[in-house]
Amino acid sequence: MDTRRTNLRQWKILVALISAAVAALGGWCAYSFGHLADTVSWDCGGGSCATNDLVSLFMPAAFMSTLAACVFGAWAMGLIAPAIFIAVTAWAFRSGLQAAIADGYTSATSVGFEMTVSLILFIVAGLCFLGWIPMFINNRQVARKVREKAAGLSN
């Protein structure tokens, strides 16, 4: 029984580390997209637009990697993982937009929607954090009761 608990703990640590790495990749993709989105060249003709610039795939990659990190991180660490990972991605995207403005790739007046999206992501991260607090407190109370019961049985 104890080896199962140890194995599960080791798996959770491994999944948490992999989730953090995937979230870091999502943050990098979000930053890169925010910074370079206005430099993508589009070919519009025949009623549709297309590009072969890899930067255009960074936001879907950021979304998918953050989502995967949140799902697996939530299993390993609880709701604190989505709170951290979503906040990191939102911060990276916002930083990329600010870097694009500073570098002159885009104007400050044209990123209102994108800044609103990053603000909404910060709010979602905050809600995940608020949801994690009672879970954390409950886990501590359960652990305390188990310790008390185990101490009472051994005496």
Side-chain angles (χ1 to χ4, degrees):
M1 187 75 169
D2 192 49
T3 58
R4 274 195 214 162
R5 188 174 299 133
T6 303
N7 288 340
L8 181 63
R9 185 175 296 136
Q10 290 171 350
W11 272 107
K12 285 189 173 190
I13 291 170
L14 179 64
V15 169
L17 291 173
I18 292 171
S19 297
V22 171
L25 174 68
W28 177 79
C29 287
Y31 176 85
S32 298
F33 183 81
H35 186 235
L36 300 172
D38 285 342
T39 65
V40 175
S41 60
W42 291 88
D43 181 25
C44 295
S48 66
C49 291
T51 185
N52 60 354
D53 197 341
L54 189 60
V55 174
S56 65
L57 296 176
F58 282 176
M59 188 47 76
F63 175 75
M64 289 186 288
S65 61
T66 303
L67 181 65
C70 287
V71 168
F72 291 109
W75 174 76
M77 298 181 284
L79 275 180
I80 194 69
I84 292 170
F85 298 155
I86 292 170
V88 165
T89 301
W91 174 79
F93 181 58
R94 185 179 274 270
S95 297
L97 290 172
Q98 291 170 342
I101 293 168
D103 292 343
Y105 294 147
T106 189
S107 67
T109 59
S110 67
V111 293
F113 175 75
E114 290 85 355
M115 290 294 191
T116 303
V117 168
S118 67
L119 179 64
I120 290 170
L121 288 174
F122 279 124
I123 292 169
V124 169
L127 291 174
C128 287
F129 178 75
L130 289 176
W132 171 76
I133 292 172
M135 292 172 60
F136 179 75
I137 292 169
N138 187 37
N139 285 344
R140 293 294 162 213
Q141 288 174 347
V142 168
R144 182 179 48 87
K145 287 180 183 178
V146 167
R147 281 193 306 269
E148 289 172 358
K149 189 170 187 174
L153 291 177
S154 64
N155 288 334

